[in-house]
Amino acid sequence: MSIEVGYRFKSILDVLLTGEEDELGNNADVSTQNHVIQAGFNWGLGATVTPTADVAPEAYGANYVSVFGGVLLPEDTHANIDDHDYLVKFKTGFTVGVALGGNITESLRGEVEVSYQSYDVDKVDEGEENVDESEGDVEGYFLMANLWREVEVSGVRPYLGGGVGMALMDVNITYDTRIHDTDHTDLALAAQAGAGLRVPVSDQFMLDLGYRFRGAMSVLTEATKDDDNNSSTYYTHSGQVGLQWAY
């Protein structure tokens, strides 16, 4: 038996609420974000715990520091503002970051990752028409905890996994110069999934070739001209190259 005291960040993401009069377009994307401090009581079901022998970290491989960069392909995102349904399309962007990691078991790695991404608005459509003079950019600062499962095949190490964390998103988008624009920074829940290949280049260095699909969930953006706020999710695909130094 044990007592647990913990913190949780919980979010319900992108719930679509549809108005009773559909022809009016009174729809909205709604999300909730809550900070929870909780206490719990844990009772074991009788399973025994067998102590394991001490294993030096070197048996699973050294810890490492990784630096990486890559090309970013953002997904289109919707913004429902004041009965207007905007579809925002983005240009190709970039991402850079660092990670500190190490092997938990022989085939499982854990990481703490800090990264930055940036991309510009390409155009904004409303229905089948393009909105003139639309512009803007999106920047994201991510703190992620990752787990990667990998195997060794002919000297290289393919891997698969993902992570969760937080994103500080700076969204500056002009949907329509006459009525709707946003310029706001918001903290949001983030998650990613990915795969890649690690290739040894020396005793201490490995080349990491990877793909990541990442999302910043239900980012709140506040309007600069009125109260027409919006909540959107920002998804990106990235191909990245990293260099890992084992220590």
Side-chain angles (χ1 to χ4, degrees):
M1 292 182 290
S2 62
I3 295 176
E4 177 182 355
V5 178
Y7 162 80
R8 305 289 188 269
F9 177 82
K10 296 184 178 181
S11 180
I12 299 175
L13 306 175
D14 291 336
V15 179
L16 177 62
L17 301 183
T18 304
E20 293 182 2
E21 301 294 335
D22 292 341
E23 63 272 12
L24 296 179
N26 292 326
N27 305 329
D29 288 327
V30 177
S31 65
T32 66
Q33 296 180 345
N34 302 285
H35 302 276
V36 181
I37 304 297
Q38 61 187 41
F41 180 77
N42 301 328
W43 174 53
L45 298 179
T48 58
V49 178
T50 302
T52 58
D54 293 336
V55 179
E58 289 75 16
Y60 296 139
N63 298 327
Y64 62 87
V65 175
S66 175
V67 295
F68 62 86
V71 177
L72 201 69
L73 300 176
E75 292 270 2
D76 302 341
T77 190
H78 281 271
N80 297 308
I81 303 176
D82 191 24
D83 298 338
H84 294 262
D85 184 13
Y86 296 113
L87 178 64
V88 187
K89 299 184 178 181
F90 299 100
K91 299 178 181 179
T92 300
F94 71 92
T95 182
V96 294
V98 297
L100 179 65
N103 286 73
I104 301 173
T105 69
E106 191 172 2
S107 60
L108 185 66
R109 292 186 289 118
E111 276 185 351
V112 175
E113 173 192 321
V114 178
S115 60
Y116 167 81
Q117 64 182 34
S118 176
Y119 46 95
D120 295 331
V121 172
D122 183 18
K123 63 178 182 177
V124 176
D125 293 335
E126 184 177 6
E128 297 181 356
E129 297 184 0
N130 177 249
V131 180
D132 294 333
E133 300 181 7
S134 55
E135 61 182 4
D137 61 82
V138 177
E139 295 180 302
Y141 303 84
F142 291 82
L143 176 63
M144 308 291 293
N146 304 319
L147 284 176
W148 307 110
R149 171 78 64 177
E150 66 180 12
V151 296
E152 185 171 355
V153 180
S154 301
V156 300
R157 302 185 68 90
Y159 65 85
L160 182 70
V164 295
M166 301 297 295
L168 183 65
M169 301 295 293
D170 185 9
V171 180
N172 179 9
I173 299 177
T174 299
Y175 303 99
D176 189 324
T177 55
R178 296 166 298 173
I179 48 177
H180 296 136
D181 63 358
T182 62
D183 186 2
H184 185 64
T185 300
D186 186 45
L187 189 64
L189 181 67
Q192 69 175 1
L197 186 70
R198 295 203 301 165
V199 182
V201 294
S202 72
D203 291 340
Q204 285 188 295
F205 289 94
M206 298 189 77
L207 189 65
D208 185 356
L209 307 175
Y211 160 79
R212 303 290 186 269
F213 176 72
R214 177 180 292 173
M217 314 299 183
S218 299
V219 180
L220 175 66
T221 51
E222 296 181 357
T224 58
K225 297 179 180 179
D226 47 40
D227 295 328
D228 295 327
N229 303 330
N230 177 60
S231 177
S232 297
T233 295
Y234 297 86
Y235 294 112
T236 60
H237 305 268
S238 64
Q240 59 189 49
V241 178
L243 184 63
Q244 297 179 351
W245 171 62
Y247 64 91

